[in-house]
Amino acid sequence: MNTAGVGEPPDPSSDRARAAMRCALAALYVVAGIAHLWVPEHFLAITPSWVPLAPQVVLLTGVFELVASAALLTRPWRRFAGIALAVYALCVWPANFKHALDGIDLPYISASWLYHGPRLALQPVIMWWALYCADVTDWPWRRRASGAGRS
C-alpha cells in the first residue's frame, strides 16, 4: 500500500520510513522474544493469574515474537504478521497493567509510574505501529485525492 493519493506515484521517502519502522519493530520483538525464552520467570511474574498454563503461554509468546518478527520482514507474510502483532500487543496489555498496578520489581525496569504510565499509554501506538509497518494502514499520512469527499 502506498501513501500517495489516488493517481499519485508512491512516495519513496515514506516507503523507506515504513521499512525503517518495520525493521525497528522487528528488532524490538526479537529482543522481547529472546527475553521470554531466556528469563521466563520475569514474564511469569507479570502474567495475570487468570491466564491458563502460564509457563507454556510465556514460552509460546517468545516463539511467536521471533516468528512474527521474521514474517514482518518478508513480503508474503508481512500483512498477516502485522495484524497478528497488533492483536498480540492488545492481548499482552493486561500483563502490563498487572506489572504497573502490582508494582512488580523486575531487573532493568523501573517500578515507577514514570515508566509504567507512558508504557501503558503507548500500547495502542505499538498496535498502530505493527499495522502501519505491515501496510495495513496509511493513517495518518494518507492524502486525499483531489475532490475526494466533496459533494
Side-chain angles (χ1 to χ4, degrees):
M1 184 179 294
N2 74 53
T3 57
V6 176
E8 295 179 31
D11 179 1
S13 64
S14 70
D15 289 345
R16 283 191 299 275
R18 191 183 304 249
M21 290 174 69
R22 187 179 303 120
C23 289
L25 184 64
L28 288 173
Y29 272 115
V30 164
V31 170
I34 291 169
H36 274 86
L37 300 175
W38 195 328
V39 286
E41 60 277 5
H42 296 163
F43 295 93
L44 285 169
I46 65 171
T47 301
S49 60
W50 49 263
V51 173
L53 305 169
Q56 292 83 356
V57 169
V58 169
L59 173 70
L60 288 174
T61 57
V63 171
F64 168 79
E65 288 169 328
L66 295 172
V67 170
S69 295
L72 188 63
L73 299 175
T74 62
R75 187 164 303 280
W77 292 99
R78 182 174 300 153
R79 184 175 175 85
F80 176 77
I83 293 168
L85 285 168
V87 170
Y88 172 76
L90 177 64
C91 291
V92 299
W93 212 357
N96 297 333
F97 276 102
K98 177 179 173 33
H99 187 191
L101 297 175
D102 291 356
I104 299 168
D105 286 325
L106 293 176
Y108 310 110
I109 297 177
S110 170
S112 163
W113 275 95
L114 292 174
Y115 166 80
H116 290 297
R119 175 70 180 93
L120 292 171
L122 289 174
Q123 195 73 6
V125 174
I126 294 169
M127 293 175 220
W128 166 85
W129 187 1
L131 295 173
Y132 183 77
C133 289
D135 300 330
V136 175
T137 183
D138 283 338
W139 181 85
W141 293 282
R142 180 180 305 152
R143 292 186 219 140
R144 286 181 178 239
S146 52
R150 294 183 189 161
S151 349

